Amino acid sequence: MSETLILTKRWAKNDPSLAGYRADGGYRSLDKALGMAPAAIVDEVKASNLRGRGGAGFPTGLKWTFLPKDIRPRYLCINADESEPGTFKDRYICEYDPHQLVEGIAISCFALDIHLAYIYIRGEFAKQARSLETALTEAYEAGLLGPRIGGKADFALDVHVVRGAGAYICGEESALMESVEGKKGYPRFKPPFPAIVGLWGKPTIINNVETLANVPWIIENGAKAFSDLGAGKTGGTRLFGVSGNVKRPGVYEKPAGYNLKKLLLEDCGGTASGRPIKAVIPGGSSSPVLKGDEIDVSLEPDAIKSAGTMSGSGGVIVMDDSVCMVRALARIAMFYAEESCGQCTPCRQGTPWMWKVLEKIERGEGTMADLALIEQLPGNIMGQTICALGDAAAMPVQSFVKKFRQEFVEHIEGHGCRHGETGWGVSRSSREALVGGNRHTPR
Amino acid sequence: MSHHDHPNAELGPLQIAELPKDKVARFDAALPEILKRYPADHKEAAMLAALRRAQEIFGWLSPAAQRLVADRLGAPVTRAEEVATFYVMYHTRPVGRHVVEVCTNVSCSLAGGYDIFEDLKRKLGVENGGTTGDGRITLRQVECLGSCGTAPAMLVDEEMHEGLTSQSVAKILGALP
Ligand SMILES: Cc1cc2nc3c(=O)[nH]c(=O)nc-3n(C[C@H](O)[C@H](O)[C@H](O)COP(=O)(O)O)c2cc1C
Ligand code: SF4
Ligand code: FES
């Protein structure tokens, strides 16, 4: 079956150079865009049904129209923070095809009358930051960026890489801007939204790496072609990063409405152990968990919502039936406890509390009162905080306890965990057997 | 006065004047390149990058190193402190010659990341965040490194290593000077 690939088509070449990108038709879209009216580019993106790939799935063209007409300067921030557990796609765009992103940035800035853009990349991605720096240098030298973008239009654009320094919260858009401003990553109250009051108080658009990397294809092939690839109100393909207990982990580019079960059983070959799938986290660690028999769903954001979860950042984590759900959830809870910025009381106090109670249950020292507590705590955080990290911490707890309640009760009544010594699967050799899934390129 | 004379040696040098002159000169030489990326009226925005460079040069961010960065960016010292303590990649305590950071989040632990971290604790004789007696290695448990598809993953001196096995970990650590 020949599926249309937008984002991954050049990855297997392992040639991120400008020359290689150009040889494959790169920067033709920028040429085309520079001959269009900026408003026509925005309309094209709107009509394409491109939706944000950073997690929230907000329509990109619509977000762009929120910019106030008459305030300058405006800025663009490209979100390459990629820190949501289970998510590992944007890094490969930066590594294998950075010019696709740079071209997307140039077109978007031209469309939005933006002359300064920052790519904010998590500090741990040293190699990817270098790859982006190299691509930017090449683009400047070729006259694609700088005083006259594309070497044609009388339009100046500067793009810089800014590296984070280890803080998940800086992927949240307002914390990201604080970090670009050289501060600690404290999310801001919203409204005002960044499109109105953003970086240095000026209107700012924040988009994910994958989101913007789609823009050149949309300009080249048209909004309809892009929209047709997807499903419902989501155009195009998406990058799904599959990890955990699967035979072939890696990044898969699939139409936005692809079926989750098909992805896991056919593309990824099922579990590495051959054991049944017990649980799947479909969209990064904050998305509500699905049971193994609930995975026959479309990954399109609106469709998967009806299954009570979300495809968020496209990070799919698979667990076979040897894995302890209390252990997995406790580890997720630890993550949010460690990454809470501490500004809001419910999040600062609630996230470590949930983590501690879950560890206690996992150790076999929990009581039914602890279970009642863990069923109640998330509700006291949800919707009570400045940013969505609070909700992100609450949703997995609610869903794991609801769907695997019996397993929590067993820990309490049996005073311990039956899933082996660590809870990460019954045997160490089965964990080690998963190693070697060193696959970056889609099939 | 060397920093060993301070009542609390862990704090390191407290004043800019106590920092080695050659290293301060290296930092000052690196600054213009960093500042180029930000509008001239937003010099403070360079805080993260400047702290990173200072850490590379001085090994860690002592109070004096934080002071130096604040001074050069025209920012209050508290701004440098608050950024240096907020982000986990900055070291506000001395660290070993090498920093080994193992991801134990879900995708990694499903592939053995937790086992690797526990093994290393035993082998190196340190707890999370500890440094070996010879000052060679600081070991830390870290959150998802964005390498879940090639798990388990770890950073060694900020370079990523993926698809780890007990053997490959031993080899990587063994090769460190
Ligand atoms: C706690 C938290 C962490 C986030 N981390 C990321 C991230 O690492 N990368 C990302 O693109 N978006 C992340 N987001 C979403 C951003 O806030 C924002 O919605 C997104 O970058 C917008 O781009 P998009 O519309 O193109 O998706 C995060 C949100 C929250 C609440
Ligand atoms: S919800 Fe948590 S992470 Fe977000 S601002 Fe509040 S304390 Fe910080
Ligand atoms: S869980 Fe370890 S890299 Fe993502």
Side-chain angles (χ1 to χ4, degrees), chain A residues 196-241:
Chain A
I196 315 291
V197 181
L199 190 61
W200 296 305
K202 297 294 179 190
T204 302
I205 292 295
I206 296 146
N207 274 129
N208 170 262
V209 165
E210 183 188 341
T211 309
L212 293 182
N214 279 301
V215 171
W217 197 93
I218 293 170
I219 296 306
E220 186 172 351
N221 298 278
K224 182 163 187 313
F226 190 82
S227 163
D228 285 349
L229 279 176
K233 290 195 193 100
T234 310
T237 60
R238 284 189 64 187
L239 299 182
F240 297 105

Side-chain angles (χ1 to χ4, degrees), chain B residues 40-51:
Chain B
D41 53 338
H42 294 297
K43 227 172 149 178
E44 285 185 21
M47 184 61 78
L48 270 75
L51 285 171

Side-chain angles (χ1 to χ4, degrees), chain A residues 334-392:
Chain A
M334 168 184 162
F335 170 75
Y336 291 103
E338 302 231 307
E339 300 297 335
S340 164
C341 84
Q343 274 193 105
C344 326
T345 312
C347 174
R348 183 185 60 241
Q349 304 289 339
T351 50
W353 197 0
M354 292 194 297
W355 173 30
K356 276 186 204 129
V357 174
L358 287 164
E359 287 291 349
K360 190 176 165 200
I361 297 175
E362 168 65 5
R363 281 198 308 271
E365 296 161 12
T367 61
M368 288 309 280
D370 289 318
L371 183 56
L373 187 60
I374 209 67
E375 287 179 310
Q376 179 217 325
L377 281 173
N380 296 347
I381 302 174
M382 280 290 268
Q384 307 292 318
T385 56
I386 295 175
C387 88
L389 187 140
D391 294 1

Side-chain angles (χ1 to χ4, degrees), chain A residues 33-353:
Chain A
L34 294 178
M36 293 167 70
I41 301 173
V42 177
D43 285 343
E44 200 69 18
V45 170
K46 247 171 135 174
S48 75
N49 281 341
L50 174 62
R51 286 169 70 168
R53 309 297 201 228
F58 196 84
T60 305
L62 181 62
K63 185 192 276 188
W64 290 4
T65 61
F66 293 159
L67 286 169
K69 295 273 167 297
D70 43 9
I71 306 177
R72 298 291 187 283
R74 300 161 157 183
Y75 301 110
L76 176 70
C77 290
I78 300 92
N79 195 338
D81 196 55
E82 189 145 84
S83 307
E84 167 96 356
T87 315
F88 56 96
K89 59 186 180 73
D90 297 333
R91 60 171 286 185
Y92 293 121
I93 295 177
C94 302
E95 271 173 59
Y96 295 132
D97 216 3
H99 280 287
Q100 192 174 33
L101 175 63
V102 175
E103 186 177 12
I105 293 170
I107 296 170
S108 306
C109 287
F110 178 70
L112 302 172
D113 195 24
I114 290 172
H115 300 270
L116 181 58
Y118 289 108
I119 306 175
Y120 184 88
I121 186 162
R122 62 178 297 181
E124 293 86 348
F125 282 174
K127 180 177 166 195
Q128 292 75 7
R130 285 195 295 270
S131 168
L132 287 171
E133 296 274 11
T134 305
L136 290 178
T137 306
E138 285 176 323
Y140 272 105
E141 282 169 0
L144 293 161
L145 296 177
R148 291 170 59 77
I149 62 166
K152 280 176 41 176
D154 199 6
F155 186 98
L157 173 61
D158 278 316
V159 184
H160 299 293
V161 176
V162 172
R163 292 180 65 189
Y168 163 68
I169 193 59
C170 290
E172 193 280 335
E173 57 189 12
S174 61
L176 182 149
M177 296 188 299
E178 290 287 307
S179 192
V180 173
E181 290 181 6
K183 304 181 198 148
K184 60 186 176 190
Y186 270 10
R188 301 176 184 171
F189 279 98
K190 285 182 262 186
F193 288 95
I196 315 291
V197 181
L199 190 61
W200 296 305
K202 297 294 179 190
T204 302
I205 292 295
I206 296 146
N207 274 129
N208 170 262
V209 165
E210 183 188 341
T211 309
L212 293 182
N214 279 301
V215 171
W217 197 93
I218 293 170
I219 296 306
E220 186 172 351
N221 298 278
K224 182 163 187 313
F226 190 82
S227 163
D228 285 349
L229 279 176
K233 290 195 193 100
T234 310
T237 60
R238 284 189 64 187
L239 299 182
F240 297 105
V242 188
S243 65
N245 294 128
V246 284
K247 205 170 271 167
R248 291 187 292 272
V251 173
Y252 293 82
E253 179 172 8
K254 295 289 171 192
Y258 205 67
N259 181 281
L260 176 58
K261 187 173 183 182
K262 188 160 180 254
L263 176 68
L264 298 184
L265 297 189
E266 292 177 24
D267 299 288
C268 299
T271 59
S273 57
R275 304 174 69 117
I277 294 177
K278 179 175 184 177
V280 176
I281 297 173
S285 65
S286 61
S287 58
V289 69
L290 292 172
K291 287 161 91 166
D293 58 10
E294 295 173 330
I295 62 173
D296 194 2
V297 289
S298 158
L299 285 156
E300 194 277 321
D302 297 326
I304 202 168
K305 211 184 273 172
S306 62
T309 185
M310 50 203 230
S311 52
S313 56
V316 183
I317 308 173
V318 180
M319 289 169 270
D320 73 12
D321 70 349
S322 73
V323 180
C324 171
M325 293 297 104
V326 184
R327 163 49 60 226
L329 179 60
R331 185 61 187 83
I332 291 170
M334 168 184 162
F335 170 75
Y336 291 103
E338 302 231 307
E339 300 297 335
S340 164
C341 84
Q343 274 193 105
C344 326
T345 312
C347 174
R348 183 185 60 241
Q349 304 289 339
T351 50
W353 197 0

Side-chain angles (χ1 to χ4, degrees), chain A residues 84-87, chain B residues 103-109 143-149 151-153:
Chain A
E84 167 96 356
T87 315
Chain B
C103 173
T104 58
N105 212 309
V106 177
S107 302
C108 280
S109 284
E143 290 302 346
C144 176
L145 292 169
S147 299
C148 329

Side-chain angles (χ1 to χ4, degrees), chain B residues 59-131:
Chain B
W60 63 290
L61 296 172
S62 65
Q66 294 174 33
R67 202 168 275 271
L68 173 74
V69 173
D71 177 75
R72 299 306 196 256
L73 297 182
V77 182
T78 48
R79 267 287 296 282
E81 277 169 13
E82 122 190 334
V83 173
T85 49
F86 185 82
Y87 296 91
V88 300
M89 290 179 78
Y90 297 126
H91 308 304
T92 51
R93 307 251 135 195
V95 286
R97 291 199 300 286
H98 304 286
V99 180
V100 173
E101 299 173 303
V102 183
C103 173
T104 58
N105 212 309
V106 177
S107 302
C108 280
S109 284
L110 287 171
Y114 176 85
D115 304 316
I116 286 172
F117 179 66
E118 290 298 314
D119 284 354
L120 280 179
K121 279 203 320 203
R122 265 193 305 276
K123 210 170 131 197
L124 299 173
V126 295
E127 283 304 309
N128 183 24
T131 302

